[in-house]
Amino acid sequence: MLSFPSLSIRRAALGLALTGAFTLAGAADFAGRGVFNFKSDAGCPFAALAGGGSECNRLALDDADTHAALDAAAHTIRFASTRSYPEKTIVGDVLLQGSGRARDGQRVPLTFHALLSRSGTEWSVSSHAHSPVSGEFDDIRIDPYKVTVNEPGTERVMLAPEQIVEALARPSLAARLANVFVQVDDNRADGARDADITIGLGLSRASKSVARARFRAPGAKGRDLAEAMQQGNWTLELQALSGQIPRQVVQRDLFLYGLESQSLLQPLLQRGFRKNEKLLLGAANGKGYIRYDGQQREFAGADAAARAFLQDSFIGLVLGWQQQQPQTAKTKADGR
């Protein structure tokens, strides 16, 4: 796929991991490969999709050798690892949900995403901001978390709250500095309501289309996206327009959205997308299914996987925003 006290867990080993939930006070410690959601006091972009409307921040651990501690009261997330990696390897991530005020005055959902990596025993971090529209933002609202990692005899700050706010306030600048340019085109015909976008990489005419994403929810009226999902008749379709989408990106997305254990998707997990291949999640009359490579199978976790994708991913953020906004001829968004 190209997302205190109450805490929910998503684990790939369960087939889909938005099913378990538990309650903790104070700090929470995490170990083992998995994806964990925790409360966002700043709010969620599509609140009704986030399990009670508040559990949309995310912490992921990619292997059993990485540990994390979440202290909600101190707004600190601490990563630790004793393993030495032969090459640079992503070991975890943090995704924080927030919002900002655009120049036209409307409040826009914003997401901050940080990837933690290890090379040998050295830590590094890469981060970027997601927004469904381009521009700069003020009045940023996001939980003021600090992200730290273990170093011999000390603790190193990788991200401070003010750095996160700055990245969200000026996402276009952050993308330019990282040499990442994402173009988003609105494919809807006049009068169409369902979200339909093409994702391109590069600058304007030099942009290369890499993916198309469509979300169809016939029951959706205005902002009732969650209600339409609950009615059980909807589809979320991703199509690769290029065979150059990195396999590692596909593999990690299947992990993040609880799809890597699906037997139907093992070829996709092993080799990545081929040009024009489609992956579709959906439900008909309340029964979930998954479709890939001309085959369709029942999948009870389709609803939860789609909700996670719409809530956590850049593509999902744009789809959800487009579904709720008046149609425009072209949509520009900021993301990686």
Side-chain angles (χ1 to χ4, degrees), residues 54-74:
S54 64
E55 294 179 8
C56 59
N57 286 338
R58 186 187 79 200
L59 187 157
L61 299 177
D62 288 61
D63 60 42
D65 299 301
T66 306
H67 306 260
L70 171 69
D71 189 333

Side-chain angles (χ1 to χ4, degrees), residues 79 88-94 112-119 122-128 146-149 151 156-160 163-164 178:
F79 283 83
K88 186 176 180 179
T89 304
I90 295 173
V91 298
D93 77 12
V94 175
F112 181 82
H113 188 201
L115 289 162
L116 279 293
S117 299
R118 296 263 287 177
S119 179
E122 295 294 318
W123 289 94
S124 62
V125 64
S126 63
S127 61
H128 48 271
K146 176 174 65 176
V147 178
T148 70
V149 298
E151 296 281 12
R156 176 183 169 195
V157 177
M158 303 297 286
L159 287 167
Q163 292 174 281
I164 296 172

Side-chain angles (χ1 to χ4, degrees), residues 14-332:
L14 297 179
L16 186 69
L18 289 169
T19 55
F22 54 93
T23 300
L24 297 174
D29 295 319
F30 304 99
R33 180 174 167 86
V35 183
F36 311 86
N37 285 90
F38 59 98
K39 183 179 180 181
S40 168
D41 289 323
C44 300
F46 312 117
L49 294 176
S54 64
E55 294 179 8
C56 59
N57 286 338
R58 186 187 79 200
L59 187 157
L61 299 177
D62 288 61
D63 60 42
D65 299 301
T66 306
H67 306 260
L70 171 69
D71 189 333
H75 286 106
T76 300
I77 301 172
R78 300 178 176 88
F79 283 83
S81 177
T82 57
R83 177 177 168 184
S84 178
Y85 293 80
E87 60 185 13
K88 186 176 180 179
T89 304
I90 295 173
V91 298
D93 77 12
V94 175
L95 185 144
L96 300 175
Q97 304 281 9
S99 66
R101 183 175 59 197
R103 288 182 177 178
D104 63 4
Q106 73 173 331
R107 183 149 290 276
V108 175
L110 303 173
T111 301
F112 181 82
H113 188 201
L115 289 162
L116 279 293
S117 299
R118 296 263 287 177
S119 179
T121 60
E122 295 294 318
W123 289 94
S124 62
V125 64
S126 63
S127 61
H128 48 271
H130 298 163
S131 65
V133 297
S134 62
E136 297 185 356
F137 306 92
D138 61 12
D139 190 22
I140 303 297
R141 301 175 188 174
I142 194 164
D143 296 348
Y145 275 95
K146 176 174 65 176
V147 178
T148 70
V149 298
N150 69 312
E151 296 281 12
T154 186
E155 188 174 67
R156 176 183 169 195
V157 177
M158 303 297 286
L159 287 167
E162 55 269 23
Q163 292 174 281
I164 296 172
V165 169
E166 177 64 19
L168 293 175
R170 306 176 70 188
S172 296
L173 175 61
R176 288 198 297 271
L177 292 175
N179 293 319
V180 179
F181 304 94
V182 179
Q183 303 286 332
V184 179
D185 289 313
D186 186 340
N187 299 322
R188 293 176 295 177
D190 292 343
R193 175 174 295 172
D194 296 315
D196 185 347
I197 60 176
T198 295
I199 307 295
L201 298 180
L203 287 173
S204 64
R205 294 182 181 180
S207 175
K208 177 179 176 58
S209 297
V210 295
R212 184 173 184 176
R214 286 175 272 198
F215 180 69
R216 185 172 184 270
K221 295 181 180 179
R223 297 181 180 273
D224 298 331
L225 183 59
E227 182 179 346
M229 296 285 286
Q230 293 167 359
Q231 289 174 356
N233 290 282
W234 55 270
T235 56
L236 171 63
E237 179 185 283
L238 300 175
Q239 179 183 10
L241 301 180
S242 167
Q244 303 303 311
I245 299 173
R247 179 170 56 91
Q248 298 93 325
V249 171
V250 177
Q251 290 174 330
R252 194 161 197 277
D253 280 354
L254 292 177
F255 157 61
L256 290 174
Y257 304 115
L259 297 170
E260 67 178 0
S261 64
Q262 292 297 303
S263 59
L264 180 62
L265 301 184
Q266 293 311 298
L268 179 60
L269 184 69
Q270 296 300 319
R271 57 168 170 75
F273 273 112
R274 291 175 176 166
K275 187 175 181 180
N276 294 323
E277 278 192 333
K278 295 180 181 180
L279 170 61
L280 186 143
L281 295 171
N285 299 320
K287 296 190 67 173
Y289 62 88
I290 187 169
R291 185 184 304 158
Y292 172 71
D293 195 25
Q295 300 181 61
Q296 180 172 311
R297 295 181 185 174
E298 290 188 10
F299 179 35
D303 176 66
R307 287 171 184 268
F309 183 79
L310 290 168
Q311 187 72 59
D312 295 354
S313 74
F314 168 62
I315 292 177
L317 182 69
V318 178
L319 287 174
W321 177 259
Q322 188 185 86
Q323 190 82 13
Q324 300 176 72
Q325 301 300 314
Q327 182 183 353
T328 58
K330 182 179 178 67
T331 301
K332 293 183 178 181

